[in-house]
Amino acid sequence: MSRGQFLNPLLDPMDRVLKRAAPHLCPYYRRWPYTGEIWLTEVDLRGAWSRELNFFYARLPKVANSTILGSLVDGARARGIGKDLKPKQFFARPSAARAADVERIAKEAFKFAFVRDPFARTLSAYLDKVVKTRAAARRARRWFARNGIAAPDFAAFCRYLDDGGLHDDPHWAPQTQVLPMPLDALDFLGRMERLDEDIAVVHNRIFGESPASLQRRGPKPTGSSNRLAEHYTEDALAIVRRLYAADFEKLGYPLQLPR
């Protein structure tokens, strides 16, 4: 569960203690220490290590994660691997990796992630978590109430992010903060904007062939990529550009709204 689902500030110091202890307790975090602002328990959920197929998927939320994860599970099942397992049982978390696993991940495994344009991803998080009043937005709703905002629009959500809410939940936190593995350790960085093409690259590397078809999974799409002009005011643009500056720069996305 994310920080945004709790209102107890006492949990944040516990996370800081865990981050200090992790390099001493977990071989994975000894090799790749996490120093970002997201709860480490949340970041750990974002690593998917397959011992059987020798890949590590750094899975980011609001980046077609359910679709990508499902396609990997389908590929494994087609080869007789884990037919009785639920999708998230296929993979080990980084904290469960043994020292020998970490060496294998570093030297032999295919390591990849998928990313998304920050403008579309931030709007998608608002449409899915705030508009639909999901649990992840509890802290956001409390901020709206304190500020007398009964029906928060996207600009109000951006002001909440700018007032300390940016790291409350990984669905809207910067992608470079949520990644459980450094960008320079990855072998391949796919993009949601060319999902079909890039998932084929992943499948060819892991399974030796492209998927026959890509079944869309997860929550109903918000259509955020086609609704940017509808929701982005000048203030919202300025806030997102500033808060997600590292994502724009390190992931190679332009600072202008996609057309």
Side-chain angles (χ1 to χ4, degrees):
M1 298 179 75
S2 69
R3 178 185 286 134
Q5 293 173 265
F6 291 95
L7 301 179
N8 186 348
L10 296 178
L11 295 174
D12 289 339
M14 293 174 59
D15 175 65
R16 290 193 288 272
V17 171
L18 185 60
K19 285 172 180 171
R20 288 196 297 269
H24 304 284
L25 300 175
C26 302
Y28 181 92
Y29 291 109
R30 191 174 307 129
R31 178 109 189 191
W32 293 294
Y34 178 74
T35 58
E37 298 296 327
I38 311 301
W39 278 1
L40 185 59
T41 49
E42 271 293 315
V43 173
D44 198 57
L45 287 171
R46 301 297 155 192
W49 155 233
S50 173
R51 292 187 178 96
E52 294 82 3
L53 294 167
N54 198 26
F55 70 77
F56 185 96
Y57 169 34
R59 55 188 198 92
L60 292 173
K62 303 308 295 178
V63 189
N65 171 62
S66 296
T67 295
I68 297 165
L69 197 68
S71 78
L72 296 171
V73 170
D74 288 346
R77 284 177 172 161
R79 289 154 181 81
I81 300 173
K83 288 187 175 181
D84 298 323
L85 298 177
K86 295 179 180 179
K88 291 184 181 179
Q89 294 175 327
F90 271 78
F91 311 106
R93 298 179 186 177
S95 59
R98 300 162 297 196
D101 291 331
V102 173
E103 283 302 302
R104 188 175 173 213
I105 292 170
K107 296 178 180 179
E108 302 174 16
F110 175 50
K111 301 173 286 293
F112 66 95
F114 278 74
V115 295
R116 185 178 187 182
D117 181 88
F119 289 124
R121 182 174 177 268
T122 308
L123 177 57
S124 181
Y126 161 77
L127 294 172
D128 183 41
K129 304 303 177 186
V130 176
V131 173
K132 296 180 180 178
T133 64
R134 309 279 195 192
R138 286 186 65 194
R139 285 196 179 190
R141 290 195 293 274
R142 192 180 190 186
W143 186 91
F144 298 141
R146 285 200 310 268
N147 288 275
I149 303 171
D153 58 10
F154 180 62
F157 177 64
C158 290
R159 292 195 297 275
Y160 151 73
L161 297 178
D162 200 22
D163 195 32
L166 182 64
H167 299 105
D168 278 354
D169 192 87
H171 289 86
W172 59 70
Q175 294 163 86
T176 47
Q177 286 276 318
V178 183
L179 278 171
M181 179 175 281
L183 278 169
D184 60 8
L186 297 173
D187 299 308
F188 180 71
L189 192 66
R191 298 186 183 274
M192 185 169 169
E193 294 79 17
R194 55 179 191 233
L195 182 60
D196 289 335
E197 175 185 344
D198 285 354
I199 199 67
V201 173
V202 169
H203 272 249
N204 274 294
R205 181 70 179 267
I206 296 171
F207 303 115
E209 60 183 1
S210 300
S213 62
L214 189 60
Q215 179 183 346
R216 261 58 179 185
R217 295 172 166 93
K220 183 179 179 181
T222 62
S224 63
S225 297
N226 298 318
R227 303 174 65 183
L228 299 176
E230 173 189 348
H231 289 278
Y232 268 93
T233 63
E234 287 302 317
D235 286 345
L237 271 172
I239 291 171
V240 169
R241 283 170 177 154
R242 176 165 44 81
L243 295 183
Y244 297 89
D247 280 7
F248 284 108
E249 178 183 355
K250 294 180 180 180
L251 303 181
Y253 283 99
L255 289 171
Q256 303 302 318
L257 282 180
R259 297 188 182 277

